[in-house]
């Protein structure tokens, strides 16, 4: 795909400084810019690269004033970073629009319904009574189970698995290897020491604008639904157990694990390898640093760190002391020895 500077400026409502006929067909970092690519400058720390970059077009903030000569064509916008993100959206949409039709071999049940302008890749499977919306891209080797409902403008990347009865809203993205609606970890201990499986008959629900990372698993509810609310973004390799509810616009980094029946509020941010115990409630706007462990309820509007997680300023002070513990122990033992010696006198 090839774009002129004038086309880009028109889309972004930007102002061109330089060659309005400059063309780009790819993007690059400003420090690694190549001819025919578009880059952006948002962080002043990278300004020195703009004077040497080989990128043909660079997005800059409107307030930018160059201190040296620049060979690249500039497009001045209100926010270079947001403008660049908008262009990536446009590029992704244009690329996705190339995928249409039904490839063979693939299987689509006679009772399944597909919307307009969709794509079904080779070796994909769509089960009985599945309902697929408009402009949905189902890549090769995706499994869509019986009675699944998928809204409009969704993308299911290769190898994603959607179990029976699950519901996916509009504009959702499910990356490769993700599993939606697998059995929750439910087993009842028996008198003979074995475990009896508790069948999980619920489903998983992804509301609108949810993105699920590669190899992330969202278990179905035991009897009702595991719910991922609108706008949630989950990284790769995350485990969401049965009957969990994740609130609107919450984000979680890789290797986070949420135990069964935990409730996470709106606009929460979890770093990598965070772990939540089961049957607890996390309030809104809670931030948990990487590797935090939580086993009890948390109120809204907090930032915590550590395992068990504590208020972040307290945690940082504790970590500062942690490295001094050997010396502190030595001093305490010496002090005890001195006190005991004094008592004997």
């Amino acid at each position: 795909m090839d774009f002129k500077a004038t086309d880009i400026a028109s889309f972004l409502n930007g102002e061109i400084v330089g060659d309005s006929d400059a063309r780009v067909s790819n993007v690059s970092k400003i420090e690694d810019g190549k001819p025919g690519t578009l880059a952006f400058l948002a962080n002043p720390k990278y300004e020195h690269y703009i004077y040497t970059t080989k990128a043909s077009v660079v997005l800059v903030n409107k307030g930018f004033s160059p201190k040296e000569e620049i060979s690249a064509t500039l497009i001045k916008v209100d926010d270079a970073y947001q403008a660049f993100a908008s262009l990536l959206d446009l590029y992704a949409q244009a690329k996705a629009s190339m995928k249409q039709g039904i490839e063979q071999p693939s299987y689509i049940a006679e009772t399944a319904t597909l919307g307009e302008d969709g794509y079904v890749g080779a070796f994909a499977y769509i089960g009985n009574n599945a309902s697929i919306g408009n402009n949905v891209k189902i890549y090769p080797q995706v499994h869509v189970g019986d009675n699944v409902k998928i809204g409009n403008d969704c993308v299911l990347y290769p190898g994603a698995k959607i179990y029976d009865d699950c519901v996916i809203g509009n504009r959702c993205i499910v990356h490769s290897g993700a599993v939606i609606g697998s059995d929750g970890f439910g087993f009842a201990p028996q008198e003979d020491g074995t475990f009896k499986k508790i069948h999980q008959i619920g489903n998983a629900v992804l509301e609108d604008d949810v993105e699920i990372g590669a190899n992330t698993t969202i278990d179905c509810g035991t009897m009702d639904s595991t719910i991922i609310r609108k706008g949630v973004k989950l990284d790769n390799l995350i485990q969401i157990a049965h009957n969990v509810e994740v609130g609107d616009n919450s984000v979680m980094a890789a290797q986070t694990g949420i135990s069964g029946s935990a409730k996470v509020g709106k606009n929460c941010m979890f770093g990598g390898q965070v772990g939540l115990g089961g049957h607890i409630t996390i309030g809104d706007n809670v931030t948990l640093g990487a590797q935090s462990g939580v086993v009890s309820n948390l109120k809204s509007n907090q930032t915590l760190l550590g395992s068990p997680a504590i208020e972040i300023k307290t945690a940082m002070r504790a970590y500062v002391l942690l490295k001094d513990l050997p010396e502190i122990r030595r001093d305490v033992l010496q002090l005890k020895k001195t006190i005991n010696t004094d008592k004997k006198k």
Side-chain angles (χ1 to χ4, degrees):
M1 289 175 282
D2 192 71
F3 299 94
K4 284 179 62 175
T6 50
D7 298 330
I8 297 169
S10 176
F11 176 74
L12 298 174
N13 295 317
E15 173 192 349
I16 296 177
V17 179
D19 181 8
S20 60
D21 291 325
R23 290 181 172 274
V24 297
S25 58
N26 209 332
V27 296
S28 65
K29 296 179 181 179
I30 193 168
E31 61 268 34
D32 299 324
K34 298 176 179 62
T37 64
L38 177 141
F40 75 98
L41 174 64
N43 190 332
K45 292 181 179 179
Y46 293 86
E47 180 180 338
H48 60 284
Y49 289 115
I50 200 170
Y51 305 112
T52 58
T53 187
K54 301 300 183 183
S56 298
V57 177
V58 180
L59 304 180
V60 297
N61 293 329
K62 284 185 175 178
F64 174 72
S65 297
K67 300 180 179 65
E68 303 174 25
E69 185 177 346
I70 297 173
S71 61
T73 294
L74 304 183
I75 299 179
K76 293 190 171 185
V77 293
D78 291 331
D79 186 321
Y81 184 75
Q82 292 294 338
F84 189 73
S86 297
L87 286 178
L88 292 181
D89 285 343
L90 182 66
Y91 175 82
Q93 290 168 13
K95 186 176 179 181
S97 67
M98 297 178 182
K99 292 286 190 180
Q100 287 194 350
I102 300 173
E103 297 177 352
Q104 296 298 336
S106 59
Y107 175 81
I108 301 173
E110 291 183 2
T111 54
T113 57
L114 274 65
E116 298 177 354
D117 302 319
Y119 164 69
V120 179
F123 300 101
Y125 176 98
I126 300 176
N128 293 317
N129 301 310
S131 174
I132 313 296
N134 297 327
N135 194 36
V136 172
K137 311 300 182 187
I138 297 175
Y139 280 79
Q141 297 185 330
V142 167
H143 174 94
V144 177
D146 297 344
N147 307 311
V148 167
K149 293 180 173 57
I150 299 176
N152 300 324
D153 304 307
C154 293
V155 180
L156 277 61
Y157 282 106
K161 312 299 180 188
I162 316 299
Y163 278 46
D164 295 352
D165 304 310
C166 289
V167 178
I168 296 177
N170 300 311
R171 299 175 300 279
C172 291
I173 300 172
V174 181
H175 286 277
S176 295
V179 179
I180 311 299
S182 52
D183 278 4
F185 193 64
F187 297 89
Q190 305 297 296
E191 291 183 359
D192 62 358
T194 62
F195 290 87
K196 179 179 176 59
K197 181 178 177 63
I198 300 174
H199 289 284
Q200 311 288 296
I201 60 173
N203 71 345
V205 176
L206 312 185
E207 295 188 345
D208 295 345
D209 301 301
V210 167
E211 182 159 354
I212 306 299
N215 294 317
T216 284
T217 300
I218 301 174
D219 291 341
C220 68
T222 303
M223 291 182 290
D224 43 20
S225 298
T226 299
I227 304 175
I228 310 299
R229 298 290 183 190
K230 63 181 181 180
V232 168
K233 315 299 181 188
L234 301 183
D235 197 0
N236 306 330
L237 297 167
I238 287 175
Q239 163 64 22
I240 305 293
H242 56 194
N243 298 104
V244 165
E245 182 176 335
V246 180
D248 298 356
N249 302 311
S250 288
V251 295
M252 299 180 187
Q255 298 185 343
T256 289
I258 311 298
S259 299
S261 299
K263 309 299 181 188
V264 177
K266 300 176 181 178
N267 300 107
C268 292
M269 299 178 68
F270 294 175
Q273 296 185 331
V274 164
L276 299 190
H279 302 274
I280 64 174
T281 299
I282 308 299
D284 299 336
N285 305 302
V286 171
T287 298
L288 296 174
Q291 296 189 329
S292 293
V294 181
V295 294
S296 59
N297 296 341
L298 294 178
K299 295 180 180 179
S300 298
N301 305 307
Q302 296 189 77
T303 299
L304 301 98
L305 180 65
S307 185
I310 56 176
E311 192 274 331
I312 189 165
K313 291 182 178 178
T314 302
M316 295 304 290
R317 289 196 296 268
Y319 290 153
V320 168
L321 292 173
L322 186 62
K323 63 182 178 60
D324 295 328
L325 281 180
E327 289 77 13
I328 293 172
R329 178 180 181 276
R330 182 194 62 203
D331 293 344
V332 169
L333 291 175
Q334 182 60 46
L335 183 60
K336 287 175 66 177
K337 183 178 179 181
T338 302
I339 292 172
N340 290 335
T341 300
D342 290 342
K343 285 181 178 179
K344 293 177 181 179
K345 291 182 179 179

